[in-house]
Amino acid sequence: MSVAVAIMTMVSCVGKGPHEMAADAVVVPARWQQGSSSTKPLDVALWWRRFRDPVLNEMITDALETSPTVRSALEKVTEYRARRGVEAASLFPSLAANQSGRGARTKSGITDIITTSESYKASFDVSWQVDLFGKQFQTLKAATADLEQIGEIFYGAQVTLAADVATAYIALRSAEAQLSVVQRSLGTRGETVQLTQWREQAGTGDALDTQRSISTLEQARASMPALQLSVVQSNNQLALLSGRTPGSLDSRLAGSRRVPEMISRIAAGVPAEALRQRPDVRAAEHVLEAAFARTQSAKRARLPSLNLSGSIGIDALKAGNIFSPEAAIASILAGLATPVIDAGRIRQNIRAVSSRERQALIAYEATVLTALAEVENALAAVRRYAEQHRIVLKAADAAREAVTLAAWQYEAGKVDLLVTLDAQRTLLTLEQQDVTTRAQSANACVQLYQALGGGWSPF
């Protein structure tokens, strides 16, 4: 957007409320570029259950309850709820109770006569800054918007946490599946090593074939430590996300399971619905609301303010007379103040908060554009990774058949050992790609649900 267009956009927002400004900030498309033709909104609540993995369900549910990140975000909500309460209290009068007593003892230097005096006073003092033109009410609206923004940040923390747990869980199951693939390949290659050794001993083979087969066996075995490390790191990451010590979830995660797969087809609905579901977009709109309210409050500082104060109490010369009706006193004072000369303080403050309002509008626009891009990217990833996985599956099936045929032909002496070893290497690569693309497809689904704002619940 050019500077001129940006200025025109800001000018066009004059006189509009925050919701109207937000609606005009970005033209939301009617449908997704990468989505299906279905406009049925996607149910994003508890999306992880669509993976049909009870361990994953348990992990995310547990993390949402125990994660330090979520608990800290919830405490932030408590803080801002109290801050709003402070602003709300400023709209009402304040009442203070005062009590005082005074005693004096005087001795005359001439007559040596000692005189004593005492006085007691008790009163209730009332002060009230009347919100004559709504300045304090606008400040309260800003505090309310701040609270709602912090609430959306709490929701966003839940969204991010659920996605992070799912991603770490997918990484764990992917590493386990990769280990299983390598172990199966080690079994096949071990049989080939044994066969070459037998042939060498029988004089139908040579040491070169034996060493080649051993080399490919150990080459496959060398990939296992990195995969085992990935399993440990994924376990520890899941423990960290749940606010637990490393190793505390090992028993719960024990037992290899398949990489989670999304069962049903995903329809993302329409963009406008997705934006309403995203906590970060709603949070950005609340920031704009707060900035707008503070601008209105700053503008009202140019108007007169009315302060009322009053006191009702008792003034007595002796403690025993403090409840005497004759000692009652009362006063009331009203003051109307209008700023006349302030060296431009109010005008500069209005300029500052107005700039923050425009910044909030730009930030809202950027958040919406980011949200739209994230959903489009996730939709494209879901489609392309699924397509890639189907292709890899076909290639892996053909590679398994090739390994079987190569083994038969090698035993029959029709092909060289290199043909068998090459077929085994190809199969291992494709089976690892099968696991990788399955994990990528699952992660793409997780990213889509996160981009659509799924996984939070009201506090």
Side-chain angles (χ1 to χ4, degrees):
M1 180 183 292
S2 66
V3 175
V5 174
I7 294 175
M8 290 300 296
T9 301
M10 298 304 174
V11 172
S12 66
C13 291
V14 175
K16 295 183 179 180
H19 297 290
E20 292 79 6
M21 288 191 292
D24 294 342
V26 180
V27 178
V28 179
R31 60 184 299 275
W32 301 110
Q33 297 294 317
Q34 301 294 329
S36 63
S37 58
S38 173
T39 58
K40 181 181 179 181
L42 180 63
D43 182 12
V44 296
L46 305 178
W47 53 264
W48 50 89
R49 294 184 178 179
R50 298 167 68 93
F51 282 112
R52 309 278 181 89
D53 189 320
V55 178
L56 175 60
N57 295 343
E58 184 180 357
M59 293 301 303
I60 293 180
T61 302
D62 182 61
L64 289 173
E65 294 176 355
T66 60
S67 168
T69 302
V70 172
R71 287 188 284 118
S72 176
L74 185 57
E75 281 301 321
K76 202 75 173 177
V77 173
T78 303
E79 174 193 347
Y80 274 76
R81 185 179 286 122
R83 290 188 178 189
R84 183 195 177 279
V86 172
E87 296 296 340
S90 66
L91 293 173
F92 298 93
S94 62
L95 175 65
N98 295 308
Q99 305 86 31
S100 64
R102 179 177 179 274
R105 186 173 184 272
T106 305
K107 180 179 180 180
S108 174
I110 300 175
T111 62
D112 289 335
I113 298 176
I114 298 176
T115 59
T116 60
S117 64
E118 56 185 82
S119 64
Y120 299 90
K121 184 177 181 181
S123 65
F124 289 100
D125 300 327
V126 180
S127 63
W128 185 21
Q129 184 177 14
V130 182
D131 193 21
L132 200 60
F133 296 100
K135 178 179 182 293
Q136 292 169 286
F137 180 70
Q138 291 297 326
T139 303
L140 176 60
K141 287 179 65 175
T144 302
D146 287 340
L147 172 60
E148 291 172 342
Q149 178 217 353
I150 295 300
E152 298 300 343
I153 291 176
F154 170 65
Y155 296 147
Q158 291 181 316
V159 172
T160 301
L161 178 65
D164 287 347
V165 171
T167 301
Y169 184 80
I170 291 169
L172 170 65
R173 297 312 184 196
S174 175
E176 291 174 343
Q178 295 277 11
L179 274 172
S180 179
V181 167
V182 173
Q183 287 167 350
R184 288 198 304 270
S185 179
L186 291 178
T188 302
R189 296 185 185 204
E191 294 173 358
T192 302
V193 170
Q194 191 175 39
L195 179 58
T196 58
Q197 289 173 339
W198 287 344
R199 295 187 66 173
E200 181 184 356
Q201 293 171 1
T204 58
D206 56 27
L208 179 59
D209 284 350
T210 302
Q211 294 306 313
R212 281 174 174 170
S213 61
I214 292 174
S215 175
T216 58
L217 172 66
E218 296 306 321
Q219 183 181 13
R221 198 192 308 276
S223 65
M224 293 185 66
L227 294 172
Q228 291 166 341
L229 174 61
S230 180
V231 169
V232 173
Q233 291 175 335
S234 298
N235 268 301
N236 291 338
Q237 179 66 14
L238 287 168
L240 175 62
L241 291 170
S242 299
R244 303 183 186 278
T245 57
S248 59
L249 299 177
D250 289 355
S251 59
R252 188 184 302 182
L253 296 169
S256 181
R257 301 180 65 90
R258 285 178 57 84
V259 176
E261 295 183 57
M262 194 67 69
I263 302 299
S264 58
R265 187 180 178 185
I266 296 179
V270 295
E273 183 66 28
L275 294 178
R276 283 192 291 269
Q277 292 173 160
R278 284 186 58 123
D280 60 337
V281 173
R282 294 198 303 269
E285 186 171 0
H286 291 316
V287 171
L288 178 59
E289 291 173 5
F292 179 84
R294 289 189 171 94
T295 300
Q296 299 305 310
S297 177
K299 291 178 178 179
R300 284 163 172 76
R302 297 175 297 189
L303 302 175
S305 60
L306 176 62
N307 292 282
L308 300 177
S309 61
S311 178
I312 182 170
I314 296 171
D315 196 355
L317 296 177
K318 294 183 179 181
N321 296 334
I322 197 166
F323 295 109
S324 172
E326 291 82 3
I329 57 175
S331 66
I332 187 170
L333 176 67
L336 188 65
T338 303
V340 178
I341 299 176
D342 63 353
R345 180 184 59 83
I346 295 178
R347 182 176 69 256
Q348 295 301 325
N349 185 53
I350 292 174
R351 290 183 62 185
V353 294
S354 297
S355 177
R356 285 196 290 269
E357 180 184 339
R358 292 191 294 272
Q359 292 173 43
L361 180 59
I362 295 171
Y364 174 81
E365 178 186 352
T367 302
V368 170
L369 292 175
T370 300
L372 294 173
E374 287 178 352
V375 176
E376 290 286 6
N377 290 338
L379 285 169
V382 168
R383 176 182 298 180
R384 299 310 173 194
Y385 282 133
E387 180 182 348
Q388 183 182 13
H389 186 220
R390 288 192 295 268
I391 296 172
V392 170
L393 282 177
K394 292 179 181 180
D397 289 340
R400 291 187 191 94
E401 184 67 21
V403 167
T404 303
L405 293 174
W408 289 346
Q409 292 181 9
Y410 176 68
E411 290 180 18
K414 295 181 178 180
V415 297
D416 187 75
L417 175 65
L418 292 178
V419 175
T420 301
L421 298 180
D422 183 64
Q424 291 174 353
R425 279 193 294 266
T426 301
L427 177 59
L428 175 60
T429 300
L430 288 172
E431 286 186 334
Q432 289 179 321
Q433 286 185 5
D434 174 26
V435 175
T436 300
T437 54
R438 202 183 318 144
Q440 288 172 332
S441 295
N443 281 325
C445 292
V446 172
Q447 292 168 6
L448 176 58
Y449 277 106
Q450 183 180 10
L452 292 171
W456 60 270
S457 58
F459 59 90

